Amino acid sequence: MPVTVGADVNASRELLVAVITNTAPESTLPRVLEALRKEGADPADVVVLYTGEPGSAADRTLDTLIRHRPVDVVRTPRAMRAGEGRQFLTDRARGYQFVAFLDDDCVPLPGWLSSVRAACADPLPTALFFGPRHPIAAGGAGALVRALESRSSRKLALITGADVPATVVGPKALSAAGNIIVNVAAAREIGLTVPLFARTAFEDVDFQLRAEAHGWAVQFHSHLEVEHHDEVGVVALLRKSWHSGKGMARCAVLYGPAFWEKCRWRPWRALVSWAVALVCLGTAALFPWAAAGALLPVVLNVFAHRRELRSAPLPDSALYLLVKPVRDLTIGLGFVLHYAAIRLMSWPPGEWAEMRRAGTTAALRYAPLNGADNARTPHTG
């Protein structure tokens, strides 16, 4: 199929499925595309959205992976973060009512596509549908940590809890952008990714909360299931954790209680436990018994995730207890420092001024990213 750069995706259809990739992983991207083929997805309604550096090794790998597949590729004109890339494609999805976004490591389970179509047929005006991602630690210590902690997520609790319906409107859980369906009309009305979140994490949560603030529904569908084949290492996990803390700070400032009632994370708890641990460690020379307090972050994680650790192999549990407290600390530091910058320092001025002036992103009006309305070229497919 033709490869397009910044072109409109034209159709008169209901649903476009977009697999977003930055690195074109050979281990998972072909599996996602093959799962969509087995689901009966029309190749004309499936695109790969490449947001990586043009001309890079990943770009060339993508060419190889899709060479014999009937799938169109849309390349962004420069490297973009995932949220910015989703807005880029939504701006160009002419004629489609919905765009289903999948990350390149989220493999749809059987029945996913029919569940997507059933969700799109719901008469309730809905801006966002999302479903569970079942964690699969495909490789990397960071992936193992995320897989274990995800087992206690609120999204998975919605499919394992007793008497929980298959569809939940206004769920008390945060969306995960690796498996979402976006209403194009809502995305154009309020913006899928506003500039404030274009280059940071939690842009999907911002859209979720902003859509509800504008009167749109948000729905969780338990049958929209994918397997999340995570391959992140420890360093990459900590980098993501830092950005997550920053994104949480922005959401906390803009939405307050509406954000916290959906979020299971309380980033300050990790900071308190680490502060107590350091105090205990510092006083161990005077009070040897206080040295036991240095293990407080580990003890709290054992208690909070005892069910997941009980069923995990011993080496996995040991690795988890080594990395997870550091991940929590990184999220907490990213959150507190970013929150303080917003509230106290107003730095950088333009960005924080926009947040303070709005008070809530319900007051922020959408301006197209990347000059989308001025850079359209005819689709060559």
Side-chain angles (χ1 to χ4, degrees):
M1 293 288 285
V3 174
T4 62
V5 180
D8 286 2
V9 182
N10 296 308
S12 296
R13 299 172 183 264
E14 181 182 54
L15 175 68
L16 174 69
V17 179
V19 182
I20 185 168
T21 186
N22 182 268
T23 58
E26 298 179 60
S27 57
T28 57
L29 179 57
R31 297 180 62 181
V32 176
L33 297 175
E34 180 62 16
L36 290 173
R37 186 193 67 79
K38 290 181 178 179
E39 286 283 282
D42 187 336
D45 294 329
V46 177
V47 298
V48 173
L49 174 62
Y50 177 70
T51 61
E53 191 67 37
S56 65
D59 197 350
R60 294 189 293 273
T61 299
L62 178 60
D63 281 338
T64 302
L65 292 179
I66 58 92
R67 182 170 298 160
H68 302 296
R69 295 181 182 273
V71 60
D72 202 0
V73 176
V74 176
R75 286 175 163 86
T76 56
R78 58 173 174 79
M80 295 182 182
R81 288 187 65 90
E84 197 176 9
R86 293 186 194 98
Q87 182 70 70
F88 180 88
L89 181 66
T90 304
D91 285 335
R92 291 160 171 77
R94 297 298 183 187
Y96 286 99
Q97 300 176 46
F98 296 93
V99 180
F101 287 101
L102 288 169
D103 281 356
D104 58 13
D105 57 1
C106 290
V107 181
L109 292 180
W112 178 86
L113 186 58
S114 60
S115 298
V116 168
R117 288 170 175 156
C120 295
D122 192 314
L124 181 66
T126 302
L128 176 70
F129 303 90
F130 67 99
R133 300 192 303 173
H134 298 282
I136 305 292
L144 174 64
V145 172
R146 289 215 297 188
L148 285 175
E149 72 179 10
S150 295
R151 293 177 186 175
S152 59
S153 72
R154 289 188 176 182
K155 286 182 285 295
L156 291 187
L158 288 174
I159 64 173
T160 58
D163 301 323
V164 178
T167 300
V168 180
V169 179
K172 297 298 187 287
L174 300 180
S175 63
N179 179 28
I180 59 174
I181 310 168
V182 172
N183 185 318
V184 174
R188 289 193 177 136
E189 177 188 330
I190 65 174
L192 176 55
T193 304
V194 295
L196 195 61
F197 282 83
R199 295 177 178 86
T200 189
F202 275 58
E203 76 287 345
D204 50 342
V205 176
D206 167 67
F207 179 67
Q208 175 185 2
L209 295 167
R210 189 156 33 84
E212 292 181 336
H214 280 86
W216 288 89
V218 172
Q219 298 188 39
F220 173 87
H221 282 234
S222 62
H223 299 308
L224 294 173
E225 297 180 280
V226 300
E227 286 184 343
H228 184 203
H229 293 255
D230 203 356
E231 298 181 344
V232 68
V234 172
V235 174
L237 175 65
L238 296 181
R239 188 184 307 116
K240 288 174 177 287
S241 301
W242 174 262
H243 283 290
S244 293
K246 292 172 61 177
M248 291 172 67
R250 296 182 182 213
C251 288
V253 169
L254 294 168
Y255 302 107
F259 169 67
W260 291 120
E261 72 176 0
K262 297 180 183 294
C263 181
R264 68 184 174 94
W265 296 90
R266 295 297 182 266
W268 50 85
R269 292 177 182 170
L271 296 180
V272 171
S273 69
W274 273 91
V276 172
L278 291 175
V279 170
C280 290
L281 192 62
T283 58
L286 298 176
F287 308 101
W289 53 265
L295 296 175
L296 183 60
V298 176
V299 172
L300 291 178
N301 269 293
V302 170
F303 178 77
H305 301 280
R306 57 193 181 278
R307 184 180 61 185
E308 294 79 14
L309 293 172
R310 191 180 300 123
S311 61
L314 183 59
D316 293 353
S317 297
L319 179 63
Y320 181 83
L321 293 176
L322 179 65
V323 177
K324 182 64 164 68
V326 181
R327 167 167 161 77
D328 291 346
L329 175 64
T330 307
I331 292 174
L333 289 173
F335 174 85
V336 168
L337 294 177
H338 208 62
Y339 190 91
I342 297 170
R343 291 298 193 187
L344 302 177
M345 295 188 293
S346 295
W347 183 89
E351 195 170 293
W352 303 143
E354 183 180 18
M355 293 179 70
R356 285 181 150 184
R357 184 169 57 251
T360 170
T361 53
L364 292 176
R365 303 313 302 172
Y366 166 55
L369 297 172
N370 316 306
D373 285 346
N374 298 319
R376 304 190 187 281
T377 59
H379 184 54
T380 58

